[in-house]
mmCIF file of all heavy atoms in Angstrom:
data_model
loop_
_atom_site.group_PDB
_atom_site.id
_atom_site.type_symbol
_atom_site.label_atom_id
_atom_site.label_comp_id
_atom_site.label_asym_id
_atom_site.label_seq_id
_atom_site.Cartn_x
_atom_site.Cartn_y
_atom_site.Cartn_z
ATOM 1 N N PRO A 1 -13.002 -15.555 -16.714
ATOM 2 C CA PRO A 1 -14.061 -15.284 -15.721
ATOM 3 C C PRO A 1 -13.940 -16.165 -14.476
ATOM 4 O O PRO A 1 -14.166 -15.696 -13.356
ATOM 5 C CB PRO A 1 -15.351 -15.580 -16.494
ATOM 6 C CG PRO A 1 -14.987 -15.392 -17.932
ATOM 7 C CD PRO A 1 -13.579 -15.886 -18.040
ATOM 8 N N ALA A 2 -13.570 -17.436 -14.665
ATOM 9 C CA ALA A 2 -13.419 -18.336 -13.521
ATOM 10 C C ALA A 2 -12.250 -17.913 -12.645
ATOM 11 O O ALA A 2 -12.345 -17.909 -11.407
ATOM 12 C CB ALA A 2 -13.238 -19.771 -14.013
ATOM 13 N N LEU A 3 -11.148 -17.537 -13.267
ATOM 14 C CA LEU A 3 -9.983 -17.090 -12.506
ATOM 15 C C LEU A 3 -10.309 -15.830 -11.711
ATOM 16 O O LEU A 3 -9.952 -15.703 -10.530
ATOM 17 C CB LEU A 3 -8.812 -16.826 -13.451
ATOM 18 C CG LEU A 3 -7.493 -16.377 -12.803
ATOM 19 C CD1 LEU A 3 -6.944 -17.472 -11.895
ATOM 20 C CD2 LEU A 3 -6.460 -16.010 -13.871
ATOM 21 N N THR A 4 -11.041 -14.892 -12.337
ATOM 22 C CA THR A 4 -11.386 -13.635 -11.684
ATOM 23 C C THR A 4 -12.262 -13.855 -10.466
ATOM 24 O O THR A 4 -12.124 -13.164 -9.443
ATOM 25 C CB THR A 4 -12.099 -12.701 -12.683
ATOM 26 O OG1 THR A 4 -11.242 -12.461 -13.802
ATOM 27 C CG2 THR A 4 -12.461 -11.375 -12.047
ATOM 28 N N ARG A 5 -13.184 -14.806 -10.540
ATOM 29 C CA ARG A 5 -14.060 -15.082 -9.402
ATOM 30 C C ARG A 5 -13.315 -15.738 -8.253
ATOM 31 O O ARG A 5 -13.662 -15.548 -7.087
ATOM 32 C CB ARG A 5 -15.213 -15.994 -9.834
ATOM 33 C CG ARG A 5 -16.288 -15.322 -10.665
ATOM 34 C CD ARG A 5 -17.518 -16.200 -10.776
ATOM 35 N NE ARG A 5 -17.213 -17.502 -11.381
ATOM 36 C CZ ARG A 5 -17.271 -17.756 -12.687
ATOM 37 N NH1 ARG A 5 -17.617 -16.779 -13.510
ATOM 38 N NH2 ARG A 5 -16.999 -18.950 -13.155
ATOM 39 N N ARG A 6 -12.283 -16.525 -8.571
ATOM 40 C CA ARG A 6 -11.621 -17.324 -7.543
ATOM 41 C C ARG A 6 -10.389 -16.654 -6.951
ATOM 42 O O ARG A 6 -10.125 -16.748 -5.752
ATOM 43 C CB ARG A 6 -11.222 -18.679 -8.139
ATOM 44 C CG ARG A 6 -12.412 -19.515 -8.548
ATOM 45 C CD ARG A 6 -12.004 -20.653 -9.459
ATOM 46 N NE ARG A 6 -13.174 -21.418 -9.901
ATOM 47 C CZ ARG A 6 -13.178 -22.233 -10.953
ATOM 48 N NH1 ARG A 6 -12.058 -22.389 -11.666
ATOM 49 N NH2 ARG A 6 -14.268 -22.887 -11.271
ATOM 50 N N ILE A 7 -9.580 -16.012 -7.795
ATOM 51 C CA ILE A 7 -8.314 -15.423 -7.339
ATOM 52 C C ILE A 7 -8.224 -13.981 -7.842
ATOM 53 O O ILE A 7 -8.325 -13.726 -9.054
ATOM 54 C CB ILE A 7 -7.096 -16.215 -7.859
ATOM 55 C CG1 ILE A 7 -7.199 -17.693 -7.469
ATOM 56 C CG2 ILE A 7 -5.810 -15.613 -7.308
ATOM 57 C CD1 ILE A 7 -6.067 -18.548 -8.017
ATOM 58 N N GLY A 8 -8.039 -13.058 -6.926
ATOM 59 C CA GLY A 8 -7.787 -11.669 -7.294
ATOM 60 C C GLY A 8 -6.315 -11.360 -7.120
ATOM 61 O O GLY A 8 -5.702 -11.775 -6.138
ATOM 62 N N SER A 9 -5.726 -10.641 -8.072
ATOM 63 C CA SER A 9 -4.302 -10.304 -8.027
ATOM 64 C C SER A 9 -4.107 -8.800 -8.066
ATOM 65 O O SER A 9 -4.753 -8.097 -8.846
ATOM 66 C CB SER A 9 -3.555 -10.947 -9.203
ATOM 67 O OG SER A 9 -3.479 -12.353 -9.056
ATOM 68 N N VAL A 10 -3.201 -8.328 -7.215
ATOM 69 C CA VAL A 10 -2.805 -6.921 -7.180
ATOM 70 C C VAL A 10 -1.330 -6.867 -7.540
ATOM 71 O O VAL A 10 -0.488 -7.393 -6.817
ATOM 72 C CB VAL A 10 -3.033 -6.304 -5.787
ATOM 73 C CG1 VAL A 10 -2.573 -4.850 -5.769
ATOM 74 C CG2 VAL A 10 -4.504 -6.408 -5.395
ATOM 75 N N PHE A 11 -1.006 -6.243 -8.687
ATOM 76 C CA PHE A 11 0.371 -6.227 -9.183
ATOM 77 C C PHE A 11 1.225 -5.218 -8.431
ATOM 78 O O PHE A 11 0.717 -4.273 -7.810
ATOM 79 C CB PHE A 11 0.409 -5.887 -10.671
ATOM 80 C CG PHE A 11 -0.364 -6.845 -11.542
ATOM 81 C CD1 PHE A 11 -0.891 -6.419 -12.747
ATOM 82 C CD2 PHE A 11 -0.573 -8.161 -11.154
ATOM 83 C CE1 PHE A 11 -1.604 -7.285 -13.553
ATOM 84 C CE2 PHE A 11 -1.277 -9.035 -11.946
ATOM 85 C CZ PHE A 11 -1.805 -8.600 -13.154
ATOM 86 N N GLN A 12 2.550 -5.399 -8.527
ATOM 87 C CA GLN A 12 3.468 -4.443 -7.895
ATOM 88 C C GLN A 12 3.321 -3.054 -8.497
ATOM 89 O O GLN A 12 3.375 -2.053 -7.791
ATOM 90 C CB GLN A 12 4.908 -4.934 -8.041
ATOM 91 C CG GLN A 12 5.897 -4.122 -7.229
ATOM 92 C CD GLN A 12 7.296 -4.688 -7.302
ATOM 93 O OE1 GLN A 12 8.011 -4.489 -8.276
ATOM 94 N NE2 GLN A 12 7.699 -5.410 -6.265
ATOM 95 N N ASP A 13 3.111 -2.977 -9.801
ATOM 96 C CA ASP A 13 2.882 -1.705 -10.476
ATOM 97 C C ASP A 13 1.387 -1.585 -10.750
ATOM 98 O O ASP A 13 0.852 -2.278 -11.609
ATOM 99 C CB ASP A 13 3.665 -1.630 -11.784
ATOM 100 C CG ASP A 13 3.515 -0.292 -12.474
ATOM 101 O OD1 ASP A 13 2.606 0.474 -12.105
ATOM 102 O OD2 ASP A 13 4.292 -0.003 -13.395
ATOM 103 N N PRO A 14 0.667 -0.721 -10.015
ATOM 104 C CA PRO A 14 -0.790 -0.638 -10.185
ATOM 105 C C PRO A 14 -1.227 -0.387 -11.618
ATOM 106 O O PRO A 14 -2.225 -0.955 -12.072
ATOM 107 C CB PRO A 14 -1.182 0.534 -9.272
ATOM 108 C CG PRO A 14 -0.089 0.627 -8.275
ATOM 109 C CD PRO A 14 1.167 0.218 -9.004
ATOM 110 N N GLU A 15 -0.502 0.470 -12.334
ATOM 111 C CA GLU A 15 -0.951 0.856 -13.667
ATOM 112 C C GLU A 15 -0.932 -0.304 -14.664
ATOM 113 O O GLU A 15 -1.543 -0.221 -15.720
ATOM 114 C CB GLU A 15 -0.107 2.021 -14.188
ATOM 115 C CG GLU A 15 -0.337 3.307 -13.389
ATOM 116 C CD GLU A 15 0.382 4.498 -13.982
ATOM 117 O OE1 GLU A 15 1.175 4.300 -14.927
ATOM 118 O OE2 GLU A 15 0.159 5.620 -13.518
ATOM 119 N N HIS A 16 -0.237 -1.379 -14.324
ATOM 120 C CA HIS A 16 -0.211 -2.529 -15.226
ATOM 121 C C HIS A 16 -1.559 -3.243 -15.294
ATOM 122 O O HIS A 16 -1.773 -4.061 -16.189
ATOM 123 C CB HIS A 16 0.866 -3.520 -14.781
ATOM 124 C CG HIS A 16 2.251 -3.064 -15.100
ATOM 125 N ND1 HIS A 16 3.377 -3.769 -14.743
ATOM 126 C CD2 HIS A 16 2.714 -1.954 -15.741
ATOM 127 C CE1 HIS A 16 4.459 -3.121 -15.154
ATOM 128 N NE2 HIS A 16 4.074 -2.018 -15.744
ATOM 129 N N GLN A 17 -2.479 -2.950 -14.374
ATOM 130 C CA GLN A 17 -3.760 -3.641 -14.409
ATOM 131 C C GLN A 17 -4.930 -2.722 -14.733
ATOM 132 O O GLN A 17 -6.080 -3.146 -14.684
ATOM 133 C CB GLN A 17 -4.016 -4.378 -13.087
ATOM 134 C CG GLN A 17 -4.106 -3.532 -11.853
ATOM 135 C CD GLN A 17 -4.019 -4.391 -10.596
ATOM 136 O OE1 GLN A 17 -2.944 -4.615 -10.063
ATOM 137 N NE2 GLN A 17 -5.149 -4.893 -10.117
ATOM 138 N N PHE A 18 -4.663 -1.462 -15.096
ATOM 139 C CA PHE A 18 -5.736 -0.546 -15.457
ATOM 140 C C PHE A 18 -6.009 -0.606 -16.954
ATOM 141 O O PHE A 18 -5.082 -0.494 -17.768
ATOM 142 C CB PHE A 18 -5.379 0.894 -15.062
ATOM 143 C CG PHE A 18 -5.182 1.089 -13.581
ATOM 144 C CD1 PHE A 18 -4.414 2.135 -13.100
ATOM 145 C CD2 PHE A 18 -5.772 0.238 -12.665
ATOM 146 C CE1 PHE A 18 -4.228 2.313 -11.745
ATOM 147 C CE2 PHE A 18 -5.589 0.400 -11.299
ATOM 148 C CZ PHE A 18 -4.815 1.449 -10.834
ATOM 149 N N VAL A 19 -7.280 -0.749 -17.330
ATOM 150 C CA VAL A 19 -7.610 -0.912 -18.754
ATOM 151 C C VAL A 19 -8.781 -0.044 -19.198
ATOM 152 O O VAL A 19 -9.138 -0.055 -20.375
ATOM 153 C CB VAL A 19 -7.936 -2.393 -19.082
ATOM 154 C CG1 VAL A 19 -6.716 -3.272 -18.884
ATOM 155 C CG2 VAL A 19 -9.107 -2.908 -18.245
ATOM 156 N N THR A 20 -9.408 0.715 -18.290
ATOM 157 C CA THR A 20 -10.550 1.540 -18.668
ATOM 158 C C THR A 20 -10.214 3.015 -18.472
ATOM 159 O O THR A 20 -9.126 3.369 -18.030
ATOM 160 C CB THR A 20 -11.792 1.180 -17.837
ATOM 161 O OG1 THR A 20 -11.598 1.626 -16.484
ATOM 162 C CG2 THR A 20 -12.055 -0.324 -17.843
ATOM 163 N N GLY A 21 -11.208 3.885 -18.774
ATOM 164 C CA GLY A 21 -10.959 5.317 -18.750
ATOM 165 C C GLY A 21 -11.357 6.024 -17.480
ATOM 166 O O GLY A 21 -11.046 7.206 -17.302
ATOM 167 N N THR A 22 -12.081 5.338 -16.559
ATOM 168 C CA THR A 22 -12.475 5.974 -15.307
ATOM 169 C C THR A 22 -12.283 5.005 -14.152
ATOM 170 O O THR A 22 -12.274 3.781 -14.327
ATOM 171 C CB THR A 22 -13.949 6.424 -15.314
ATOM 172 O OG1 THR A 22 -14.801 5.279 -15.265
ATOM 173 C CG2 THR A 22 -14.278 7.269 -16.539
ATOM 174 N N VAL A 23 -12.173 5.577 -12.961
ATOM 175 C CA VAL A 23 -12.033 4.761 -11.756
ATOM 176 C C VAL A 23 -13.263 3.879 -11.559
ATOM 177 O O VAL A 23 -13.155 2.696 -11.227
ATOM 178 C CB VAL A 23 -11.807 5.667 -10.525
ATOM 179 C CG1 VAL A 23 -11.960 4.886 -9.227
ATOM 180 C CG2 VAL A 23 -10.425 6.322 -10.602
ATOM 181 N N PHE A 24 -14.460 4.445 -11.788
ATOM 182 C CA PHE A 24 -15.685 3.659 -11.624
ATOM 183 C C PHE A 24 -15.693 2.462 -12.562
ATOM 184 O O PHE A 24 -15.980 1.328 -12.148
ATOM 185 C CB PHE A 24 -16.914 4.535 -11.882
ATOM 186 C CG PHE A 24 -18.215 3.833 -11.598
ATOM 187 C CD1 PHE A 24 -18.846 3.994 -10.375
ATOM 188 C CD2 PHE A 24 -18.803 3.004 -12.538
ATOM 189 C CE1 PHE A 24 -20.034 3.332 -10.101
ATOM 190 C CE2 PHE A 24 -19.988 2.331 -12.277
ATOM 191 C CZ PHE A 24 -20.611 2.501 -11.053
ATOM 192 N N ASP A 25 -15.392 2.686 -13.842
ATOM 193 C CA ASP A 25 -15.420 1.584 -14.806
ATOM 194 C C ASP A 25 -14.347 0.545 -14.503
ATOM 195 O O ASP A 25 -14.539 -0.647 -14.772
ATOM 196 C CB ASP A 25 -15.229 2.120 -16.225
ATOM 197 C CG ASP A 25 -16.469 2.844 -16.734
ATOM 198 O OD1 ASP A 25 -17.552 2.615 -16.172
ATOM 199 O OD2 ASP A 25 -16.337 3.643 -17.685
#
């Protein structure tokens, strides 16, 4: 949680960071 609040990361492969079933979630 602390890392998420301080540093946001966007990976080269977008799908590597998707973990839910909808765009909203």
